[in-house]
Each structure stands twice: as C-alpha cells, then as structure tokens.
C-alpha cells in the first residue's frame, strides 16, 4: 500500500469515526443501572420541552406528540418517559380522543432537527383540527437509532446508505423483537379496549415498518384468526384500529406466514383490513438497494423451493405475487366513494376514487384491486391475485391484508411519504377509523 493510499485510508477512518451517531437518547437521561440493593432510582421529573412537542405555543398544549426512545436492543431508555406517553394516552382515550403512533425509519432519530418530527407533528395537528375529529388528538413518536453513521457528515453523505444497510436492518428487527415497543403498543391497545370511543392508529415507515411488524406480527395473526371466526368483539381486541406500513424495509419472507394464515380462512364477519401496506415503485431504497443488500447478504443461503429466494431478497411492497391493490393518481370522481376508501377496499366495483382536496398538489387517487390481468398494469403488469373460494386456491374475498403498490404519481421515493397527495391518503384512511369505526366492506361474490 502506497503512502497516498495509507493517508486516504486514515482520512476515511477518521471521517467515519467522527460521523458515528450517538448511542444514547436525545430527549431524556437514560435510567441508571440497578444499585447494590437492586433498586433503580427513578427520574423525579422530565424536561417537558424535550419529552413532548405541541403544535400550539399557548397554554392549551393542543395536538402534542410525546417521544419514547429505545436502545439498540429494544429497551426503553427511560421508564418515566414511556409512562409519560402512556399516561397521557390514557387521559386522551378517556375523553374519546385519538392516539397516533409513528415509528420512524432509516436515517432518522428524535434529534431536534429531524424532519420526520415536524412532518409527524403536521399530521397530528391536521387530524386534531379537523371538524371530523372534535376530540383531542395526540401523537407518540417512537424513536430509535435509525442511523449509525451521520449522512450529514462531509465526505460521507449518501454513502451512508451503503455502509449502514445491514447494520440498521438487523438493529430494526432487534428493536422490534426486544419487547419494549411491544410493551408500549400493548399498553396503548389495552387503553383503547377500555375506552371504546377512542381510536388507536399505528404507522411505521422504512425500517420503522420492520420494527412495527416484528413487534406485532403474532398479535396480527391472532387477530386474523379471531376475525375469521366472526367474533363480534374481535375488532375491540385488535392491536390497533389501523396498522399502516409505508415503504416498509423488510423481506416478503417475514410476511409469508401471516399471508398464508390469512389465505386459510373465509371471513364471514364484515371487517376492515387488519394490515395496510403502501409502497411506491419509485422507492429505490426498498426496490433496488434492499434487493442488492439482501442478495449479497444471503449469497450462500439454501432454499427448499426456488421461489423462496425472491421471497427472502425482495421487500414486501415489491414482491409482486403478494400485491393486492394499485394506487395511482388519476382523473376520477368520487361517485363510488361512500365517502372514504377503507370501507370499500373490498367492495364492488373494484375501482375506488379517493378525491383530492382541491389544493395544489393534492391529486385524486384511484385504488384498484388486482383481480384480473392488467387490472394493476402500472405497478405489476399482467399479474394479479384472483379472489374466490379458498378451497380452490384463491385468496378470500375479504382478505385482511391490503398490500398496496403505488408509483411516482403518489410517492417519488423512499422518504416522500409526507407529500400532500400521500399525506391526504393517510389522512383519509385515518378519518374512516374515527367516523365509522365498525363500518365494514361487503363480499364481492
């Protein structure tokens, strides 16, 4: 190695060492280790300016979001911080309010300048201020170390995507499986069950979608099983009123057990989807980078069936055999809408128009079920998922998983989840939950 090469290597190592993201939380002091007597000294107070953020600067504290931060192993950094969010959620639920949980993804965190915080705040504020949701709305921002190398560091930049893929993907699943996020969601779910007029909406983006799915996949399986038996109270015990994954960064293989389970039942009770996934074809991070990373990381993996390789190397939103719907910007009217999309997601006709708001950049959207060849040509060509009797190999008419694929007309990339058109789609889904919580789709036989 020449002197120049050695020098370049030293500069690279020095740059990467200074670019490392901190291991600790941004919003709270971590709980100390147990003392000699086994006691953990609790925090006496929390800094409200760091633990929560509100849309209004006045004393009403309207539309606040609370931060709950987790370490690399899925443990909450502060029990007091977690309890603060849960206790506030309980107060909001008792008044029939709405609780929105957001788990951020790759290259994000809870530091003050993170754009995801402000975008989530805008969603909570909009939802809390609409006439359709008169009761109080709060948000819970689930934070973790979404980056191990700061992409804002000079000479690092976008190369951090290549350098941190395997590390952050593994960490996301560790966080989801670690138990802390599951505890938070179970407590919020219990609060919702005890306060049936309240609503709980859970959203995960990117590797945050991997965290969310890892933490609740078994619960979703239980919910799907109960739904198939037609229990009148089954939705009251579901993990949330809406579970939404946007551009989730985990392989289709992880959802295969849930997908197979859902295909094994007929659904006689009128139900909304238990899980909604939305992914854009323009997301190079989950479409291309994810596939490259998974193919390289599983190069010597053996499979019992040939198609398993695609399942294990393709993100769930790009695995075409599992795509159930197409969502694209289109010129359409809302004549078939009654008036919001989630209630009609399995209804006839198979096309559903979701109106824009009339504002600049908020396009009407056409949601189409992929039931015949070329129904969803813009996102999966001639592929489709025919519905019919499960004993003949079809997926059931009222399938509880909606794996929606969209294109650049709705989201132009991996992080473009907050643009006006996509935000309006999320907003419309959320409104269904509040306005008609038990409204159900009808079969399409």
């Amino acid at each position: 190695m020449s002197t120049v090469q050695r020098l370049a290597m030293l500069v690279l190592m020095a740059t990467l060492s200074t670019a490392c993201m901190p291991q600790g939380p941004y919003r709270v002091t971590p709980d100390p280790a147990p003392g000699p007597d086994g006691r953990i000294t609790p925090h006496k107070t929390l800094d409200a300016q760091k633990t929560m953020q509100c849309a209004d600067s006045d004393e009403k504290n309207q539309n606040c979001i609370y931060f709950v931060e987790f370490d690399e192993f899925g443990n909450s950094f502060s029990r007091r911080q977690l309890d603060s969010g849960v206790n506030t959620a309980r107060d909001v639920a008792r008044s029939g309010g709405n609780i929105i949980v957001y788990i951020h993804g790759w290259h994000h965190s809870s530091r003050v300048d993170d754009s995801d915080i402000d975008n989530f705040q805008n969603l909570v504020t909009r939802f809390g201020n609409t006439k359709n949701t008169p009761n109080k709305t709060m948000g819970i921002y689930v934070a973790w170390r979404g980056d191990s190398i700061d992409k804002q560091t000079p000479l690092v930049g976008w190369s951090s995507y290549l350098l941190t893929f395997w590390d952050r993907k593994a960490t996301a699943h560790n966080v989801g499986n670690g138990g802390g996020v599951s505890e938070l969601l179970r407590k919020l779910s219990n609060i919702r069950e005890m306060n049936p007029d309240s609503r709980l909406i859970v959203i995960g983006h990117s590797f945050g979608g991997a965290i969310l799915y890892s933490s609740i996949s078994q619960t979703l399986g239980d919910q799907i099983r109960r739904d198939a038996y037609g229990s009148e109270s089954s939705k009251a015990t579901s993990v949330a009123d809406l579970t939404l994954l946007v551009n989730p960064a985990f392989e289709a293989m992880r959802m295969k057990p849930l997908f197979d389970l859902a295909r094994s039942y007929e659904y006689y009770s009128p139900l909304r989807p238990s899980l909604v996934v939305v992914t854009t074809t323009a997301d190079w991070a989950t479409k291309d980078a994810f596939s490259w990373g998974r193919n390289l990381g599983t190069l010597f993996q053996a499979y019992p069936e040939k198609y398993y390789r695609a399942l294990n190397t393709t993100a769930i939103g790009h695995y075409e055999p599992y795509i159930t719907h197409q969502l694209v910007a289109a010129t359409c009217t809302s004549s078939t809408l009654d008036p919001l999309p989630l209630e009609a997601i399995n209804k006839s006709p198979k096309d559903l128009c979701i109106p824009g708001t009339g504002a600049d950049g908020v396009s009407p959207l056409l949601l189409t079920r992929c039931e015949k060849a070329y129904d969803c040509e813009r996102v999966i060509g001639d592929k489709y998922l025919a519905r019919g009797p499960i004993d003949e190999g079809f997926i059931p008419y009222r399938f509880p998983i909606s794996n929606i694929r969209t294109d650049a007309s709705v989201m132009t990339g991996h992080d473009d989840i907050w643009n006006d058109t996509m935000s309006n789609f999320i907003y419309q889904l959320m409104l269904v939950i509040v306005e008609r919580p038990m409204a159900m789709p009808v079969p399409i036989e």
Side-chain angles (χ1 to χ4, degrees):
M1 184 179 291
S2 67
T3 302
V4 174
Q5 289 174 324
R6 290 192 183 95
L7 181 60
M9 184 63 70
L10 288 172
V11 170
L12 177 61
M13 292 175 63
T15 300
L16 292 178
S17 65
T18 59
C20 289
M21 298 291 285
Q23 292 274 356
Y26 288 94
R27 304 275 175 169
V28 72
T29 302
D31 290 337
D37 60 354
R39 178 174 177 265
I40 299 176
T41 305
H43 297 300
K44 294 183 178 180
T45 59
L46 293 176
D47 186 341
Q49 292 183 339
K50 291 184 177 181
T51 304
M52 61 182 289
Q53 173 178 305
C54 299
D56 298 334
S57 59
D58 60 22
E59 59 186 16
K60 295 180 181 179
N61 288 338
Q62 294 295 314
N63 305 319
C64 297
I65 60 175
Y66 285 72
F67 298 93
V68 183
E69 298 168 278
F70 293 88
D71 64 21
E72 303 259 297
F73 305 96
N75 306 299
S76 62
F77 274 112
S78 166
R79 300 299 306 182
R80 185 64 63 87
Q81 186 190 51
L82 187 149
D83 290 343
S84 177
V86 169
N87 291 337
T88 303
R90 184 177 293 106
D91 292 339
V92 170
R94 284 171 177 167
S95 64
N98 311 300
I99 302 156
I100 308 172
V101 180
Y102 175 73
I103 307 177
H104 70 75
W106 202 6
H107 294 291
H108 290 281
S109 67
S110 60
R111 64 181 178 182
V112 174
D113 60 347
D114 196 291
S115 60
D116 258 14
I117 297 174
D118 292 335
N119 286 319
F120 180 51
Q121 177 71 77
N122 291 337
L123 177 66
V124 172
T125 301
R126 179 186 178 189
F127 199 66
N129 289 341
T130 182
K131 64 180 180 180
N132 303 78
T133 58
N135 295 323
K136 189 173 182 179
T137 296
M138 71 164 293
I140 295 180
Y141 185 94
V142 175
W144 60 291
R145 191 171 177 247
D147 215 350
S148 51
I149 299 176
D150 191 350
K151 70 178 183 182
Q152 298 180 9
T153 302
L155 303 180
V156 174
W158 290 97
S159 65
S160 63
Y161 280 95
L162 175 64
L163 296 171
T164 64
F165 171 82
W166 293 277
D167 168 47
R168 290 304 89 194
K169 183 180 186 301
T171 298
H173 292 299
N174 283 342
V175 174
N177 292 324
V181 176
S182 295
E183 177 196 349
L184 172 65
L185 295 177
R186 284 171 181 153
K187 286 184 173 180
L188 295 176
S189 184
N190 289 339
I191 290 171
R192 167 185 167 274
E193 183 177 355
M194 294 168 57
N195 300 276
D197 290 334
S198 67
R199 302 288 172 260
L200 175 60
I201 297 163
V202 186
I203 305 170
H205 169 237
S206 181
F207 285 145
I211 292 173
L212 177 54
Y213 186 75
S214 295
S215 65
I216 66 169
S217 59
Q218 291 186 345
T219 305
L220 284 171
D222 288 340
Q223 181 59 46
I224 288 171
R225 176 182 55 80
R226 289 195 301 268
D227 289 345
Y229 287 104
S231 170
E232 291 297 328
S233 62
S234 61
K235 293 308 287 186
T237 56
S238 62
V239 65
D241 293 286
L242 173 64
T243 301
L244 174 64
L245 309 179
V246 185
N247 292 333
F250 64 90
E251 56 273 28
M253 184 68 83
R254 291 183 182 269
M255 194 175 286
K256 185 179 186 301
L258 190 70
F259 214 87
D260 290 346
L261 171 69
R263 294 187 67 136
S264 69
Y265 294 114
E266 297 284 6
Y267 300 91
Y268 302 103
S269 290
L271 300 167
R272 293 193 310 263
S274 299
L275 176 65
V276 179
V277 182
V278 184
T279 306
T280 176
T281 58
D283 181 2
W284 73 269
T286 59
K287 184 181 180 182
D288 299 319
F290 185 94
S291 180
W292 297 335
R294 287 296 295 162
N295 274 290
L296 183 59
T298 61
L299 190 61
F300 301 106
Q301 174 71 54
Y303 300 100
E305 301 289 343
K306 185 177 180 180
Y307 75 95
Y308 271 45
R309 177 173 292 279
L311 274 165
N312 201 33
T313 58
T314 308
I316 180 59
H318 299 288
Y319 187 67
E320 294 182 349
Y322 282 0
I323 302 301
T324 63
H325 294 77
Q326 171 182 275
L327 178 71
V328 294
T331 301
C332 60
T333 63
S334 59
S335 58
T336 61
L337 194 63
D338 186 27
L340 300 167
L342 204 57
E343 297 178 23
I345 205 163
N346 289 325
K347 277 186 177 181
S348 293
K350 64 187 175 186
D351 292 325
L352 178 68
C353 186
I354 303 163
T357 63
D360 293 339
V362 183
S363 304
L365 301 175
L366 189 65
L367 182 68
T368 304
R369 284 193 311 278
C370 310
E371 296 180 353
K372 295 181 180 179
Y374 302 105
D375 277 349
C376 301
E377 183 177 8
R378 286 175 59 172
V379 298
I380 56 173
D382 62 350
K383 298 180 179 63
Y384 62 99
L385 271 176
R387 303 195 182 206
I390 62 170
D391 56 3
E392 297 180 17
F394 296 99
I395 67 168
Y397 288 107
R398 284 175 279 194
F399 195 58
I401 301 172
S402 294
N403 189 16
I404 303 168
R405 202 176 194 199
T406 184
D407 62 11
S409 66
V410 179
M411 285 188 286
T412 60
H414 185 65
D415 288 326
D416 190 33
I417 71 171
W418 302 111
N419 71 74
D420 291 340
T421 298
M422 183 60 191
S423 294
N424 185 59
F425 178 69
I426 296 174
Y427 175 75
Q428 296 288 345
L429 293 181
M430 291 164 56
L431 278 182
V432 175
I433 303 303
V434 172
E435 289 196 327
R436 278 167 292 191
M438 294 306 291
M440 316 305 264
V442 297
I444 60 171
E445 300 97 316

